[in-house]
Amino acid sequence: MSFAELAYHVTPMGALSLRRRRMLALDCDVLEVKLGEDFLMSSLFTAGEQALAHLSIEAAPAGDLDVLVGGLGLGYTAAAALDHDRVRSLAVVDVLPDVIAWHRAGLVDLGPRLSSDPRCALIEGDFFAMARSGELPPPGRFHVIAVDIDHSTEAWLNASHGDLYAEGGLGKLAACLHPGGVFGLWSDAAPDEVFLARLQRVFARADTVVVPFDNPLREATESCTIYRAWID
């Protein structure tokens, strides 16, 4: 297994690195993103990130859609959103400018596609701060808001993210959706019934979808969870 570090940055959130590994046993290259001691993403496991976009957009009201994605990473959620022709605009917010720079420089596989699609805007910013203030990128109100930033509803990259998962934070997100709009959230954990009940109190309805995926490194099937919540 060969290894190359494509980029390394010291950020306020910790050391950020982009690495490419050659998995000889799988005969493929794998991109990995690491922040401090946390593995944020691997191109070997993208089913959940893509499902977040597909499940949220497919549940949205008919017609053209303005979509907001919180968290860029390797770009799989954003690219999956662009697979839908009725996505009129896509705003992708990431707090780390270096991640956006990777895409614009073509260091990650999906970078050229996202950077060249006129529907897609890559925006440096703190998604959580934007949600708190209600000052989201243009057009300011969305048909779909999909978030893939923290590990789960209880395992956050930063303690300051916690208010998004409380009823007050969820209510602010709901206010940024058009009628019938959908809030989608990725989690690496099993469904959290307490959080689901919280969503159901804030939104008109909510559900969870468990997404299975193969882990060839362990020769096992694993799963992640997608939360969806609709407003009236």
Side-chain angles (χ1 to χ4, degrees), residues 2-7 18-22 30-32:
S2 60
F3 167 88
E5 187 169 71
L6 304 181
L18 173 67
R19 315 186 301 184
R20 185 182 297 274
R21 292 182 183 272
R22 181 65 184 174
V30 176
L31 282 175
E32 300 172 333

Side-chain angles (χ1 to χ4, degrees), residues 2-35:
S2 60
F3 167 88
E5 187 169 71
L6 304 181
Y8 180 88
H9 314 273
V10 176
T11 79
M13 297 177 68
L16 175 71
S17 62
L18 173 67
R19 315 186 301 184
R20 185 182 297 274
R21 292 182 183 272
R22 181 65 184 174
M23 298 288 191
L24 298 178
L26 303 177
D27 191 28
C28 68
D29 287 342
V30 176
L31 282 175
E32 300 172 333
V33 179
K34 190 176 181 184
L35 181 63

Side-chain angles (χ1 to χ4, degrees), residues 79-102:
L82 293 173
D83 286 341
H84 294 261
D85 291 338
R86 67 193 189 107
V87 170
R88 174 174 56 199
S89 72
L90 173 66
V92 187
V93 174
D94 201 285
V95 72
L96 296 171
D98 306 297
V99 173
I100 295 174
W102 297 345

Side-chain angles (χ1 to χ4, degrees), residues 86-211:
R86 67 193 189 107
V87 170
R88 174 174 56 199
S89 72
L90 173 66
V92 187
V93 174
D94 201 285
V95 72
L96 296 171
D98 306 297
V99 173
I100 295 174
W102 297 345
H103 284 263
R104 291 179 174 158
L107 288 179
V108 297
D109 298 339
L110 293 173
R113 180 186 176 192
L114 299 185
S115 299
S116 64
D117 194 310
R119 297 174 294 164
C120 181
L122 305 181
I123 300 165
E124 178 190 345
D126 183 337
F127 174 84
F128 295 89
M130 291 178 178
R132 287 185 201 104
S133 67
E135 297 178 358
L136 297 178
R141 204 171 185 194
F142 296 87
H143 301 93
V144 174
I145 298 177
V147 179
D148 175 8
I149 296 177
D150 292 316
H151 296 305
S152 74
T153 57
E154 294 185 335
W156 314 320
L157 292 181
N158 189 300
S160 67
H161 296 178
D163 60 332
L164 174 73
Y165 302 93
E167 290 188 28
L170 294 171
K172 290 179 180 179
L173 283 176
C176 297
L177 288 167
H178 289 291
V182 179
F183 167 57
L185 178 71
W186 173 90
S187 169
D188 195 33
D192 179 345
E193 296 300 327
V194 173
F195 180 72
L196 178 60
R198 195 176 301 147
L199 281 175
Q200 291 167 337
R201 289 194 294 271
V202 173
F203 291 82
R205 61 191 177 99
D207 69 8
T208 60
V209 180
V210 175
V211 178

